[in-house]
Amino acid sequence: MEALPMKRSAATTPAAPIEAAGHQTLSAYIQARFDEFSRSQKDVAQYIVDHLDEVAFQTAEELARRANTSSSTVVRFSQALGFEGFPELQGQAREEYRRRVAAGLTGTPTASAEPLFSLDQSEFETAVAADHVNVEETARKISRSDIESAIDAIAGARRVLIAGTDQMAFFASYLRHLLMLLDLQADIVASPSQEALSRLGRIDDSMLVIGLSAGRPHPLVVRAMKLARHRKAGTVAITDATLSEVAKLAQIRLYYSSNSPAYVRSHTALLAMIQALAYGVYSRDAEQYADRIKAFRLK
């Protein structure tokens, strides 16, 4: 496998040339340099590492929108890596993506698999097909030991605190709902309200804190994870970014794929994961929960 080319901008000289770093892939080089980037550049870095198949064919403007930053930040990030601009970085991303496809390391369906829709699929069908791939890719990549550890942690915690803001607030609330159906004590932190902050203040070593994030994590979620770590509480991160600060702070890390052709990230795989985790807890003692669930007439 070839090393990445060294392409310098006349105005920008990267601190460490790509060849000198000794990495063979763009993703590996970005991960090694991650802590050197600015906050907005880290958003771009996270998106490239976790969505290489999209980056290989997006414009700088599309990448900027999905990474919640500006196109100028994308260009500066490219130059910080040693490229003249985004087209050169994208060329390297395409090469890496082609190698992954050739090695069978992507979630791309095999030639023998029947496609969900015809080649002239509509925008609706394209989005549904992407969600189908996201669920499959998440299931293939997730670690069984991590899942078992997360289920054990949830089932064994005296109390569960779920932190998720903005779009993650819905999923935090839904996970809390599923756990409370099993008579587990659960609270959520979804906004910097006085009540939510008081819940953070009650974190102790008998609790489990679950942090939900998509892209750049909200400062409140990061604060919850840091506080949990300081007070020796159990921690689980559920995120779509492998370089997420929330994931770095957690003992157990669960990743889901959120690729989407739409203007927002896909959370279909996240929803599937949340429901599967709750079912995993239920299955640990199905007889105990059966009557309670039946009383709610959920099925």
Side-chain angles (χ1 to χ4, degrees):
M1 196 177 293
E2 297 179 358
L4 292 174
M6 175 56 191
K7 299 183 180 180
R8 294 175 182 268
S9 165
T12 305
T13 302
I18 295 176
E19 301 100 324
H23 295 287
Q24 295 180 313
T25 67
L26 177 63
S27 298
Y29 184 60
I30 289 174
Q31 292 183 62
R33 293 275 307 276
F34 186 73
D35 290 337
E36 302 174 20
F37 303 138
S38 67
R39 184 174 181 181
S40 57
Q41 287 177 336
K42 286 180 178 179
D43 291 338
V44 179
Q46 286 180 353
Y47 196 85
I48 290 175
V49 169
D50 292 320
H51 305 268
L52 188 71
D53 54 337
E54 293 187 12
V55 174
F57 304 100
Q58 288 176 340
T59 64
E61 289 73 19
E62 289 172 329
L63 172 57
R65 178 169 58 81
R66 292 175 184 271
N68 298 316
T69 187
S70 65
S71 57
S72 60
T73 297
V74 173
V75 174
R76 287 195 297 270
F77 175 76
S78 302
Q79 293 172 342
L81 291 178
F83 296 103
E84 293 180 2
F86 177 71
E88 290 73 25
L89 182 150
Q90 187 177 56
Q92 187 64 51
R94 287 178 178 174
E95 287 301 316
E96 183 173 336
Y97 178 66
R98 289 190 184 104
R99 289 194 292 267
R100 288 187 182 183
V101 171
L105 299 178
T106 71
T108 304
T110 61
S112 61
E114 182 180 351
L116 287 177
F117 304 106
S118 61
L119 293 177
D120 60 341
Q121 59 191 20
S122 66
E123 287 78 7
F124 172 88
E125 292 169 337
T126 300
V128 172
D131 282 340
H132 177 267
V133 172
N134 283 332
V135 173
E136 182 175 4
E137 185 172 345
T138 298
R140 290 185 184 280
K141 291 185 176 180
I142 203 161
S143 163
R144 176 177 289 188
S145 62
D146 287 340
I147 286 292
E148 291 298 318
S149 295
I151 292 173
D152 285 341
I154 294 171
R158 179 182 62 83
R159 195 172 190 88
V160 178
L161 181 66
I162 309 160
T165 61
D166 301 328
Q167 57 187 321
M168 292 292 102
F170 165 79
F171 297 98
S173 178
Y174 185 52
L175 178 55
R176 173 179 179 269
H177 168 72
L178 294 176
L179 296 181
M180 292 189 70
L181 287 175
L182 302 179
D183 203 25
L184 299 179
Q185 298 299 308
D187 283 317
I188 63 171
V189 171
S191 66
S193 64
Q194 190 61 41
E195 182 180 2
L197 294 178
S198 67
R199 287 173 183 161
L200 292 183
R202 293 195 292 270
I203 293 176
D204 59 33
D205 60 5
S206 67
M207 294 180 65
L208 174 71
V209 177
I210 302 176
L212 306 180
S213 74
R216 180 191 294 179
H218 192 280
L220 185 63
V221 180
V222 175
R223 178 178 178 181
M225 299 298 282
K226 286 183 175 178
L227 190 58
R229 189 173 185 176
H230 176 70
R231 296 185 178 178
K232 303 187 185 313
T235 49
V236 175
I238 304 178
T239 175
D240 69 340
T242 54
L243 299 176
S244 170
E245 187 174 1
V246 170
K248 290 182 178 180
L249 292 168
Q251 298 164 331
I252 304 168
R253 306 170 183 87
L254 305 178
Y255 302 107
Y256 68 94
S257 177
S258 63
N259 291 328
S260 173
Y263 54 88
V264 294
R265 297 169 188 264
S266 167
H267 299 308
T268 303
L270 170 61
L271 181 61
M273 182 183 292
I274 285 174
Q275 294 189 147
L277 282 173
Y279 180 64
V281 175
Y282 168 86
S283 299
R284 293 294 170 90
D285 196 346
E287 291 185 5
Q288 172 190 338
Y289 298 126
D291 290 339
R292 178 178 176 83
I293 295 300
K294 192 177 296 183
F296 284 105
R297 297 179 180 177
L298 296 177
K299 296 182 69 174

